[in-house]
Amino acid sequence: MDPSLRWDDKDAGMTKCVKDVEKAVKVNYRDSNMKTIYMDNNATTKVADEVREASLPFFSELYGNPSSMHTFGGQVGHSIRIAREQIASLLGCGSDEIIFTSCGTESDNTAIKSALATSGNKRKIVTSRVEHPGILSTCREFEHHGYNIVEIPVDKKGRIDVNELEEAIDDDTAVVSIMYANNETGVVFPIERIAEMVKSKGVLFHTDAVQAVGKIPLDMSKSNIDMLSLSGHKFHAPKGVGVLYVRKGTRLAPFMLGGHQESGKRAGTENVPGIVAMGKACELAKDIIGEENTCVKEMRDALETAILKDCVDSFVNGDTENRLPNTTNISFEYIEGEAILLMMNKYGICASSGSACTSGSLEPSHVLRAMGVPFTAAHGSIRFSLSRYNTMAEVEFVADKMPEIVNQLRQLSPFVKG
Ligand code: PLP
């Protein structure tokens, strides 16, 4: 590595490397003949065929408004009731505890805003440094209005210290919001333990379970969680539909005001095709969640083992003991994630990197920074997130290509001695 180059020097450093790679691989993003190997399921998922089929009639013959008095609308209302039951069944809760929203972000926003609105004069939110922006941005907005936000740090493996969390909760705390599983590393937090501890202090507890639902079993009937967010497009339903679970007895201040939909808890005419689709996706998830933990995990483990074996200077980010079965976040030292993604794209392989282009330079993700992953490694991190639609043949193909890609990039990298 050339010590005169700095990772954050965008002229001399890695960003230039991405541009070189862009030129070298001459990626045609619209090459429709190329087979796609999709390993970016924490970003979004394929809509399952059964889910698409279930929703199609609601784009054509069943277009009534579920709030209408006539039978034509009433049958649509009935389909929403069925979807509500399917979702409640996956979560182990009552169907009257399900509120439909437009996405995970809306559910997160609603939970925090409602908790503050219903907690009297309490002015403190306790959360973690590694939450999704749906939570962090909402909290920071309240910070501008004088609220006290405590972001609990994580350790090198992305884990939360529950004792530290407990110490941060006091009489002024309106809500604690900790995600069920992290979207970038897949690390699963001890949410039931946390929920019990928070309840013992008489404080509301919300969890962003957007990455957990459909991947690991959840059971609200045995839980102390007060509010939980989920999003359809993360588990094979379409984009634009989500849920906020609100435990019976928990007060809710609506975020959207208007009509009487969702018993007055969330106004706006329902996204019927999306809701019906999400209901079906929950029914499927309930039946095959075991598969996520066997077949998908097997493929993820095989991919991870092969990459770590064949790519020197690579390692996994995050706690591998408590992790979603589909996710692995791997750092490749001395090269940039963006450059790796471009080369992978050449082979039709889709994944995500742990850095984002902000104001012309590459910034490592807030999650990897919170974990203290060194700059060199955070820049070169790739998140592979699999689903039941992947195959072992795809895993073998990707495992075969990664060493080639990494070696090629390291030859271009100004940070590795030639
Ligand atoms: N929370 C987590 C953990 C996520 O991963 C995401 C999406 O990536 C969201 C919230 C936001 O969900 P949506 O895209 O439905 O707004």
Side-chain angles (χ1 to χ4, degrees):
M1 179 170 162
D2 180 345
S4 67
L5 292 174
R6 285 172 47 87
W7 288 94
D8 48 358
D9 180 343
K10 63 182 179 224
D11 293 327
M14 301 302 277
T15 308
K16 178 177 172 297
C17 175
V18 173
K19 299 225 166 72
D20 289 345
V21 174
E22 243 164 11
K23 271 188 235 151
V25 299
K26 290 194 186 72
V27 178
N28 179 0
Y29 296 99
R30 297 188 188 277
D31 183 352
S32 55
N33 294 324
M34 192 159 58
K35 181 182 176 325
T36 296
I37 298 181
Y38 190 75
M39 295 193 175
D40 202 11
N41 287 276
N42 288 8
T44 198
T45 57
K46 169 191 151 88
V47 175
D49 292 346
E50 303 88 326
V51 167
R52 192 188 59 242
E53 286 304 313
S55 71
L56 281 179
F58 298 88
F59 288 103
S60 49
E61 64 265 32
L62 292 173
Y63 57 83
N65 187 323
S67 299
S68 298
M69 290 299 292
H70 42 70
T71 312
F72 185 62
Q75 59 187 339
V76 176
H78 177 67
S79 301
I80 290 186
R81 277 193 292 284
I82 292 175
R84 206 184 290 283
E85 278 160 20
Q86 287 165 320
I87 296 160
S89 168
L90 179 70
L91 296 182
C93 67
S95 54
D96 53 349
E97 296 174 306
I98 299 293
I99 300 172
F100 292 117
T101 64
S102 64
C103 59
T105 302
E106 185 191 324
S107 302
D108 283 350
N109 276 243
T110 307
I112 298 296
K113 290 181 181 189
S114 170
L116 294 178
T118 58
S119 297
N121 295 325
K122 294 183 180 179
R123 311 275 299 172
K124 185 171 178 182
I125 307 172
V126 178
T127 185
S128 84
R129 268 191 206 157
V130 296
E131 299 296 312
H132 186 271
I135 290 294
L136 286 182
S137 304
T138 308
C139 291
R140 284 170 194 166
E141 180 65 21
F142 278 107
E143 196 169 29
H144 288 140
H145 292 97
Y147 285 79
N148 178 11
I149 313 301
V150 177
E151 291 177 12
I152 304 295
V154 292
D155 69 7
K156 277 202 293 217
K157 289 187 167 185
R159 296 173 300 196
I160 276 183
D161 179 343
V162 181
N163 294 328
E164 197 175 346
L165 179 67
E166 184 166 8
E167 279 163 24
I169 302 169
D170 59 20
D171 291 346
D172 197 36
T173 308
V175 62
V176 175
S177 180
I178 302 291
M179 68 203 319
Y180 214 110
N182 186 268
N183 42 306
E184 293 189 32
T185 57
V187 170
V188 176
F189 294 111
I191 287 302
E192 293 310 338
R193 218 176 107 211
I194 292 173
E196 195 180 338
M197 178 274 287
V198 176
K199 188 191 165 91
S200 73
K201 297 190 171 281
V203 172
L204 276 176
F205 181 65
H206 165 257
T207 184
D208 173 342
V210 164
Q211 292 293 345
V213 172
K215 292 175 189 153
I216 50 177
L218 304 177
D219 187 355
M220 293 306 103
S221 72
K222 297 198 178 103
S223 166
N224 288 301
I225 294 168
D226 295 307
M227 292 184 279
L228 175 146
S229 304
L230 64 90
S231 176
H233 75 103
K234 306 293 185 178
F235 60 102
H236 307 294
K239 296 155 192 67
V241 64
V243 158
L244 179 64
Y245 156 81
V246 181
R247 181 175 294 282
K248 204 180 252 167
T250 303
R251 287 171 61 210
L252 188 91
F255 178 40
M256 302 272 281
L257 301 174
H260 298 297
Q261 294 89 355
E262 298 301 283
S263 311
K265 291 177 185 151
R266 198 275 188 184
T269 302
E270 298 87 341
N271 169 5
V272 180
I275 288 171
V276 170
M278 189 167 53
K280 186 70 187 175
C282 283
E283 186 186 87
L284 289 179
K286 195 170 180 216
D287 287 347
I288 53 184
I289 207 153
E291 204 181 306
E292 290 283 337
N293 288 286
T294 51
C295 304
V296 178
K297 184 173 180 299
E298 232 170 76
M299 288 190 282
R300 187 275 312 272
D301 289 347
L303 179 69
E304 184 176 279
T305 306
I307 289 176
L308 295 182
K309 178 170 129 323
D310 295 334
C311 301
V312 290
D313 294 325
S314 64
F315 58 86
V316 174
N317 293 307
D319 178 15
T320 53
E321 302 288 306
N322 297 294
R323 199 167 44 148
L324 293 172
N326 77 322
T327 309
T328 178
N329 185 309
I330 302 181
S331 274
F332 300 92
E333 292 265 29
Y334 315 125
I335 46 179
E336 252 180 355
E338 248 67 6
I340 304 170
L341 286 184
L342 283 168
M343 296 282 277
M344 289 166 68
N345 192 49
K346 191 180 122 186
Y347 295 111
I349 307 167
C350 308
S352 281
S353 79
S355 49
C357 193
T358 320
S359 349
S361 70
L362 285 170
E363 289 290 329
S365 84
H366 71 287
V367 175
L368 299 182
R369 267 187 289 145
M371 290 162 64
V373 176
F375 243 50
T376 52
H379 264 300
S381 81
I382 297 290
R383 177 190 70 189
F384 299 89
S385 47
L386 281 66
S387 82
R388 60 180 183 267
Y389 294 105
N390 288 116
T391 62
M392 208 41 115
E394 289 180 337
V395 166
E396 282 161 16
F397 180 81
V398 177
D400 195 45
K401 290 292 170 228
M402 286 312 292
E404 183 187 316
I405 291 170
V406 168
N407 290 338
Q408 231 177 312
L409 285 172
R410 285 197 179 138
Q411 278 163 20
L412 281 173
S413 170
F415 295 95
V416 186
K417 277 193 179 143

